[in-house]
Amino acid sequence: MSTYKKIALVFGIIILLVVGIIVGRIVLNNVIQKKINQVNPTEVVAINVKKSEFYEKIETFGTALANQSFSIRIRKEDLISSLDFDKNLLVTKGQLIAQLKNEKIIAPFSGKLGIREISPGILQGADSIIATLDDISVIKIDVRIPEIYLNILKKNLKVRVTTENLNETFDGSIETVSSRVDPSSRSVLAQIKIKNSNNKLTPGMLLNTEIIYNEVTSLGVPEESVVQQGNTAIVYKIIDNQTVARTEVKTGVRNLGYVQIISGLTEGDQIVVQGVSKVRDKSKIKLISK
């Protein structure tokens, strides 16, 4: 046998030994893990699969606008008496706002009273003020939506609004949708109306909006119970309160920490929600409370 063949044979044997050791360790680890699971069941927290509300959404933002606005320039020399504009008072329709020498300023609707912020010199001196009245019981938002959503947008579509200034969600709906697409931006103008009964939203605020569509009631599970392995999503279904079965599922949209389950589970199935990383198919488990 030539030296080259001897060297090749030695290398072949070494490679076979290394592969054998690796495979042996994997098999041994699996056997050991199974034995451990049989002796010491893994503690997990489980939930029952139930139906939840799911939806798709269009996310955008816009500036808060008053439902109605009223402004009037008042010359200080004509002013006899008035409400305190600086206190942002709430007034009712028909209430006297200011008494001038030649007329009365009456509130045409209920709202918040104030003074418009203007640039110095715009009134040619400090002898005038601009009084404002804003109806903020309803806040409007004009938003531009990509034209690909044109067939989705319609009157009364549900909207949810948040702002970084307030830890609160405000509900509203689409009031109008433009009949035309803007050719320069390829977008559609829509106006949203938001209920603002507590007057927490103020005109000028930047508001984050979610336009809700395709609402469905479907099976759902917490996000942490789903394991993604490549293109496959799996959960661990509990069998007879003793073992788990690796179960492939088809998922849909994700809302508020829950994942829509399209197939693979039925209502009432029990799955692992905490301890997912500790279990394998056919692992012995022990159910514990949160």
Side-chain angles (χ1 to χ4, degrees):
M1 182 180 296
S2 65
T3 303
Y4 174 79
K5 290 184 177 179
K6 288 180 180 180
I7 293 174
L9 179 61
V10 171
F11 272 107
I13 293 172
I14 292 173
I15 291 171
L16 288 174
L17 287 173
V18 171
V19 172
I21 291 171
I22 293 173
V23 172
R25 284 185 175 180
I26 293 173
V27 172
L28 182 60
N29 286 339
N30 288 338
V31 171
I32 292 173
Q33 186 63 48
K34 288 181 180 179
K35 293 294 184 181
I36 291 174
N37 288 339
Q38 290 174 356
V39 176
N40 299 312
T42 303
E43 293 185 341
V44 299
V45 175
I47 63 161
N48 292 321
V49 178
K50 61 182 181 180
K51 291 184 177 180
S52 299
E53 299 299 320
F54 291 93
Y55 57 87
E56 295 182 72
K57 61 185 178 182
I58 305 168
E59 295 181 291
T60 185
F61 60 89
T63 301
L65 305 171
N67 187 41
Q68 300 181 77
S69 292
F70 169 74
S71 300
I72 186 169
R73 176 177 172 176
I74 301 174
R75 293 177 61 86
K76 290 183 179 178
E77 62 185 33
D78 295 333
L79 184 63
I80 298 174
S81 64
S82 69
L83 297 177
D84 193 339
F85 299 136
D86 292 328
K87 290 186 177 180
N88 293 321
L89 299 173
L90 293 175
V91 301
T92 58
K93 181 179 179 180
Q95 186 173 346
L96 178 67
I97 294 176
Q99 175 68 61
L100 306 182
K101 290 180 179 178
N102 299 318
E103 64 175 317
K104 294 180 180 180
I105 307 299
I106 305 298
F109 50 80
S110 299
K112 183 178 284 189
L113 190 65
I115 299 178
R116 179 184 298 174
E117 295 182 10
I118 55 177
S119 300
I122 196 170
L123 295 177
Q124 299 179 347
D127 61 339
S128 298
I129 60 175
I130 294 183
T132 62
L133 179 64
D134 291 323
D135 171 11
I136 58 173
S137 60
V138 171
I139 289 292
K140 297 177 181 177
I141 316 171
D142 290 334
V143 294
R144 291 195 172 274
I145 308 299
E147 66 174 316
I148 58 173
Y149 295 108
L150 184 59
N151 292 333
I152 293 172
L153 296 175
K154 59 183 179 181
K155 183 179 173 64
N156 296 327
L157 206 59
K158 187 185 297 183
V159 176
R160 291 176 186 152
V161 170
T162 58
T163 174
E164 293 181 1
N165 301 321
L166 301 169
N167 186 24
E168 190 172 344
T169 299
F170 300 84
D171 296 323
S173 61
I174 290 181
E175 180 68 15
T176 59
V177 179
S178 175
S179 60
R180 296 184 178 183
V181 174
D182 184 340
S184 60
S185 62
R186 312 312 311 177
S187 62
V188 182
L189 180 65
Q191 186 173 89
I192 296 168
K193 283 193 173 183
I194 305 297
K195 300 173 184 176
N196 191 33
S197 56
N198 52 17
N199 293 332
K200 289 185 178 180
L201 297 178
T202 301
M205 277 184 167
L206 182 64
L207 303 178
N208 303 310
T209 67
E210 293 182 351
I211 300 173
I212 308 301
Y213 67 100
N214 286 351
E215 291 185 276
V216 295
T217 300
S218 178
L219 295 181
V221 298
E223 288 182 330
E224 60 267 32
S225 66
V226 180
V227 179
Q228 197 69 37
Q229 296 181 346
N231 294 325
T232 303
I234 67 167
V235 297
Y236 288 99
K237 185 163 63 173
I238 295 174
I239 309 299
D240 296 330
N241 292 335
Q242 295 180 343
T243 60
V244 294
R246 180 183 183 276
T247 306
E248 292 188 13
V249 294
K250 183 179 179 182
T251 60
V253 297
R254 296 171 182 254
N255 295 143
L256 303 175
Y258 269 70
V259 182
Q260 180 187 16
I261 301 298
I262 298 174
S263 63
L265 293 173
T266 58
E267 189 172 6
D269 283 345
Q270 201 172 30
I271 63 167
V272 177
V273 68
Q274 290 184 15
V276 176
S277 62
K278 301 177 184 178
V279 296
R280 298 292 183 271
D281 189 35
K282 300 180 181 178
S283 291
K284 295 285 186 179
I285 54 96
K286 177 182 178 182
L287 294 178
I288 60 174
S289 301
K290 284 188 178 181

